[in-house]
């Protein structure tokens, strides 16, 4: 590639002395127009059939899109058939406008009028290409020739639309100077102004001027400059709805759309998940949810993202990538230890403060808002830290491991991920926990026991007497002790036994399942004679017994590790 870059002509940005758009903010949703069934469909290896188009149409309607470009009815029989099926089958809701696309050519315009017969709300969208490159290479004409094509088409469309309008059709017009981005801006203004005149546009009968980045070939800020310039120079700007139609050749379709909105656009043509010619059209999902996460109502409903994705993938036979913003399989998953830790802390913060705001690091949106609350946010592989395994134990199984214990268990989990070299599923993490702590039942075992509890007046001075039968390998022995609680009584009972080289450090207990069948789990932290810390875990329906099992679990783990 060393020298080849020299054959590319860099984009020539507009010379702008001043620009207003950098100081603007997006404060409301644009008018959305879906071009999935046209631009998106044109880009498919296997274009959708009528049934598939219908299903996607209904999905778009359910999402709240009110303007939907349904096809290019003059281009193929399937496109024509689909439009007729939509109209004749009564599939178009009262508040939805269908849009049809046609090249600025008389016989195609004629055919398109036949295709929309009987529809209630229609945007009649026509286009011709205006860029310097297209004029030179494709049409071999000058700007006057290009303007004539557009204006002649506009006049014909205006004329042919009158009978339909007279019969009650709510018909609006849209014009696209295709390849707008590569057109000299004064030429773009000139052609659009003449088209507005030919269509008799007024403030009450606005015409959509759709300004595409047919091939995205410059930075989004240069495009925003073009939009600001265009809007400021357009005569009778109030006669137009300024619409954008960004493609994504440089991977900046979303930024182009967003900066274009800052520069004065009010409508966006987009597709679900960014399907479209080459690298796609701008992704409606990302754009809308970017607004949503800024506290702006996008006026689109993606609360069942998995369903939308499923329909999209099935009918288009395209795949949503695992890292696709907001929709990809992995976008709510943290493998990295520090991310898991921060998510864990953020979750706790939200629970503790009852914050009305979403304040969880590494999660720009609440997965529940997209119907994705049941997917694992934290997944465990060798990159995961100590908090990750604890998070999985908490969210999947209801175990609240004490902070001091998390590194110990995290290490056990990490060793296993390194051993197997892949992700550990939550069930396997629980199994490791069980094997390591709950199943540590030898060599010391409690065979039977009793507690006798008493208190003084007003429940003061609690007193517990513990009697137990323990087994150590083949030896069975009796112990007895008393104290101010079950743990104290137990430790006093094992005094003088080999086990008494362990000292008690800390414990935590909580219920694991709710309702009558709840189990208590006790986490016990002991220290051995050399000062080494060891943890044990015990579970029981009896809250006094769980800690004793936890103590024996810790002792057994210590003895066995030696
Ligand atoms: O990308 C484009 O320029 C188009 C036009 C037809 C609007 O799809
Ligand atoms: Zn396009």
């Amino acid at each position: 590639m060393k020298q080849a870059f020299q054959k590319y002509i860099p984009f020539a940005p507009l010379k702008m002395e001043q620009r207003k758009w950098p100081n603007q903010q997006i404060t409301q949703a644009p008018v959305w127009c879906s071009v999935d069934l046209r631009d998106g469909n044109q880009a498919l290896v296997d274009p959708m059939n009528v049934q598939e188009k219908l299903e996607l149409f209904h999905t778009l309607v359910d999402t709240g899109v009110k303007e939907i470009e349904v096809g290019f009815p003059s281009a193929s029989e399937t496109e024509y058939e689909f439009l007729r099926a939509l109209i004749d089958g009564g599939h178009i809701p009262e508040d939805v406008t269908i849009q049809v696309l046609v090249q600025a050519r008389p016989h195609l315009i004629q055919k398109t009028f036949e295709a929309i017969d009987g529809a209630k709300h229609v945007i009649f969208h026509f286009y011709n290409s205006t860029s310097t490159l297209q004029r030179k290479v494709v049409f071999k004409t000058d700007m006057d020739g290009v303007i004539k094509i557009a204006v002649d088409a506009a006049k014909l469309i205006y004329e042919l639309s009158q009978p339909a309008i007279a019969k009650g059709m709510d018909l609006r017009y849209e014009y696209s100077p295709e390849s707008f981005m590569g057109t000299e801006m004064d030429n773009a203004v000139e052609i659009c102004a003449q088209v507005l005149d030919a269509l008799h546009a007024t403030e009450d009968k606005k015409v959509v001027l759709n300004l595409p980045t047919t091939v995205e070939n410059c930075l989004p800020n240069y495009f925003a400059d073009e939009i600001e310039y265009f809007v400021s120079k357009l005569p009778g700007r109030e006669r137009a709805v300024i619409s954008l139609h960004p493609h994504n050749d440089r991977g900046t379709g979303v930024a182009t759309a967003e900066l274009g909105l800052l520069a004065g656009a009010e409508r966006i043509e987009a597709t679900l998940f960014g399907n479209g010619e080459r690298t796609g059209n701008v992704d409606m999902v990302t754009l809308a949810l970017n607004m949503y996460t800024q506290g702006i109502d996008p006026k689109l409903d993606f609360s069942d993202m998995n369903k939308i994705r499923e329909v999209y993938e099935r009918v288009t036979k395209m795949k949503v990538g695992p890292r696709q913003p907001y929709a990809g399989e992995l976008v709510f998953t943290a493998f990295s230890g520090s991310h898991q830790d921060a998510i864990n802390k953020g979750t706790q913060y939200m629970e503790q403060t009852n914050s009305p705001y979403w304040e969880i690091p590494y999660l720009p949106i609440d997965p529940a808002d997209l119907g994705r609350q049941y997917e694992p946010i934290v997944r465990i592989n060798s990159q995961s830290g100590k908090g990750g395994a604890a998070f999985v134990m908490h969210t999947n199984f209801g175990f609240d491991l004490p902070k001091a214990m998390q590194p110990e268990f995290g290490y056990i989990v990490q060793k296993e991920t390194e051993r197997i070299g892949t992700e550990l599923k939550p069930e396997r993490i629980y199994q490791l926990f069980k094997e390591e702590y709950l199943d540590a039942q030898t060599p010391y075992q409690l065979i039977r026991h009793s507690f006798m509890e008493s208190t003084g007046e007003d429940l003061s001075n609690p007193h517990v007497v513990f009697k137990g039968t323990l087994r150590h390998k083949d030896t069975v022995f009796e112990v007895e002790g008393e104290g101010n609680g079950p743990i104290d009584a137990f430790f006093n009972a094992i005094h003088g036994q080999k086990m008494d080289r362990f000292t008690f450090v800390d414990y935590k207990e909580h219920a694991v399942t709710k309702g009558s069948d709840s189990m208590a789990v006790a986490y016990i932290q002991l220290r051995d004679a050399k000062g080494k810390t060891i943890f044990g875990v015990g579970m029981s329906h009896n809250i006094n017994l769980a800690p004793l099992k936890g103590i024996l679990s810790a002792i057994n783990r210590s003895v066995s590790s030696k």
Side-chain angles (χ1 to χ4, degrees):
M1 288 182 75
K2 262 193 179 149
Q3 294 305 316
F5 64 87
Q6 290 171 343
K7 70 177 178 238
Y8 297 99
I9 305 164
F11 181 83
L14 269 181
K15 300 258 177 303
M16 295 271 279
E17 290 302 319
Q18 285 181 24
R19 46 182 67 76
K20 296 203 185 101
W21 63 262
N23 295 327
Q24 305 303 312
Q25 277 191 322
I26 297 175
T27 53
Q28 60 180 36
V31 174
W32 297 107
C33 172
S34 152
V35 291
D36 290 83
L37 298 164
R38 197 277 300 169
D39 220 339
N41 188 53
Q42 272 182 316
L44 296 176
V45 177
D46 295 317
M48 288 175 270
N49 61 31
V50 171
Q51 271 318 312
E52 288 165 337
K53 275 190 146 196
L54 260 183
E55 189 173 354
L56 193 55
F57 178 83
H58 285 297
T59 301
L60 290 163
V61 167
D62 292 345
T63 302
V65 187
K66 301 291 181 215
E67 296 183 4
I68 304 177
E69 189 162 272
V70 293
F72 218 137
S74 64
S76 84
E77 234 0 84
T78 319
E79 298 277 293
Y80 189 93
E81 236 183 81
F82 170 63
L83 185 53
R84 291 315 318 164
L86 270 183
I87 299 168
D88 298 336
H91 291 285
I92 309 164
E94 191 51 52
D95 61 347
V96 170
T97 300
I98 54 163
Q99 179 167 308
V100 285
L101 181 70
V102 64
Q103 284 177 356
R105 294 170 67 185
H107 67 289
L108 301 179
I109 290 169
Q110 195 95 38
K111 177 132 200 235
T112 304
F113 271 106
E114 284 161 29
I116 60 173
D117 186 43
K120 285 194 182 135
H121 308 282
V122 179
I123 296 176
F124 199 99
H125 179 189
F126 67 108
Y127 71 97
N128 65 329
S129 205
T130 57
S131 71
T132 332
L133 180 66
Q134 293 257 11
R135 289 188 330 248
K136 181 172 89 176
V137 175
V138 183
F139 298 103
K140 306 199 183 338
T141 178
D142 57 10
M143 196 59 209
D144 287 341
V146 167
I147 292 177
K148 185 168 175 347
I149 295 171
V151 172
D152 286 352
K155 285 182 178 156
L156 178 65
I157 288 167
Y158 184 79
E159 187 190 313
L160 293 179
S161 63
Q162 296 315 305
I165 292 172
K167 274 205 272 166
M169 185 184 287
D170 163 31
L171 191 140
R172 287 181 279 151
Y173 312 111
E174 172 170 333
Y175 171 66
S176 291
E178 203 212 313
S179 58
F180 163 85
M181 185 184 228
T183 306
E184 307 82 346
M185 275 311 107
D186 290 326
N187 282 339
V189 169
E190 179 60 29
I191 195 167
C192 288
Q194 292 207 29
V195 165
L196 289 183
D197 291 343
L199 290 169
H200 303 265
T202 64
E203 198 172 349
D204 297 331
K205 269 215 141 283
K206 290 182 201 282
V207 167
V208 178
L209 289 180
N210 186 46
L211 310 177
T213 66
T214 303
V215 176
E216 184 179 58
N217 66 353
C218 74
L219 275 75
N221 57 312
Y222 292 154
F223 181 70
D225 281 353
E226 288 189 343
I227 298 300
E228 185 168 314
Y229 183 90
F230 177 91
V231 171
S232 68
K233 298 283 177 191
L234 183 72
R237 184 257 175 271
E238 66 291 342
R239 301 180 292 166
V241 173
I242 305 297
S243 174
L244 306 180
H245 177 105
H247 278 268
N248 193 39
D249 297 81
R250 293 166 55 94
T252 53
V254 168
T256 293
E258 289 176 334
L259 300 197
L261 287 174
L262 295 181
E266 46 215 328
R267 180 180 187 269
I268 299 280
E269 294 194 348
T271 57
L272 292 176
F273 310 115
N275 181 42
E277 295 279 22
R278 303 177 308 281
T279 53
N281 286 71
V282 69
D283 174 9
M284 183 184 279
V285 176
T286 303
L287 257 181
L289 292 174
N290 280 356
M291 289 176 199
Y292 184 82
T293 55
Q294 295 301 307
I296 299 163
D297 179 358
K299 304 263 164 55
L300 292 177
D301 182 355
F302 292 113
S303 59
D304 195 352
M305 182 64 84
N306 286 347
K307 164 105 188 301
I308 295 172
R309 191 176 78 183
E310 186 278 316
V311 172
Y312 165 81
E313 289 190 335
R314 186 160 40 76
V315 300
T316 62
K317 294 155 199 92
M318 296 291 289
K319 281 266 161 274
V320 172
R323 304 242 176 248
Q324 173 92 9
Y326 302 107
E329 187 201 328
L330 291 181
V331 297
F332 299 118
T333 298
F335 286 107
S336 135
S338 59
H339 293 199
Q340 293 177 344
D341 192 45
I343 289 173
N344 198 354
K345 288 186 176 127
T347 311
Q348 284 164 18
Y349 171 82
M350 296 275 296
E351 276 166 18
Q352 284 154 12
T353 59
N354 243 332
S355 170
Y357 299 108
W358 181 253
E359 293 178 286
I360 300 195
Y362 300 107
L363 285 181
I365 191 168
D366 181 353
D369 291 356
L370 308 177
R372 295 188 58 174
Q373 66 269 45
Y374 302 114
E375 293 169 41
I377 290 172
V378 167
R379 283 168 59 173
I380 306 297
N381 64 15
S382 60
Q383 301 300 307
S384 312
K386 54 188 184 332
F391 186 90
V392 170
M393 287 301 292
H394 177 60
T395 50
N396 290 267
F397 307 107
F399 287 80
D400 235 335
L401 273 58
K403 211 168 166 26
M405 183 182 165
Q406 293 179 12
E408 187 189 271
F409 182 54
Y411 180 69
I412 293 164
V413 170
Q414 193 175 32
K415 289 254 310 236
E416 179 65 0
T417 58
E418 279 166 359
R419 189 183 72 77
I420 62 170
T422 176
E423 182 190 0
L424 282 190
K425 294 284 179 220
E427 292 67 31
R428 178 69 186 128
I429 291 168
Y430 177 77
Q431 201 185 5
L432 285 175
F433 179 80
K434 183 168 171 297
E435 283 166 8
E436 185 65 33
Y437 297 101
L438 303 176
D439 295 349
Q441 289 178 10
T442 57
Y444 289 100
Q445 243 184 317
L446 182 62
I447 300 171
R448 75 184 74 83
H449 79 286
S450 70
F451 281 116
M452 239 183 53
E453 297 178 38
S454 60
T455 63
E457 287 270 311
D458 300 331
L459 304 177
S460 63
N461 299 325
H463 185 73
V464 174
V465 177
F466 169 78
K467 283 186 192 170
T469 306
L470 287 156
R471 174 183 291 134
H472 178 247
K473 298 184 178 165
D474 295 334
T475 315
V476 172
F477 56 99
E478 308 287 328
V479 292
E480 180 172 342
E482 48 192 273
N484 55 15
I487 297 177
D488 193 29
F490 181 76
F491 265 94
N492 289 331
I494 61 172
H495 192 70
Q497 301 289 340
K498 270 194 179 162
M499 293 184 275
D500 80 350
R501 63 177 185 278
F502 292 95
T503 48
F504 176 81
V505 180
D506 205 359
Y507 107 111
K508 169 175 170 176
E509 191 166 1
H510 66 81
V512 177
T513 45
K514 295 191 182 87
S516 56
D517 194 31
S518 79
M519 286 271 255
V521 58
Y523 311 89
I524 302 289
Q525 186 180 2
L526 302 184
R527 187 173 295 121
D528 70 8
K530 290 185 180 151
K532 187 173 174 240
T533 286
I534 186 108
F535 288 88
V537 183
M539 286 187 81
S540 170
H541 286 291
N542 177 337
I543 56 165
N544 289 333
L545 186 55
L548 306 196
K549 289 171 105 178
I551 294 166
L552 290 174
S553 148
I555 294 174
N556 286 332
R557 290 185 64 234
S558 172
V559 174
S560 305
S561 76
K562 282 196 182 78

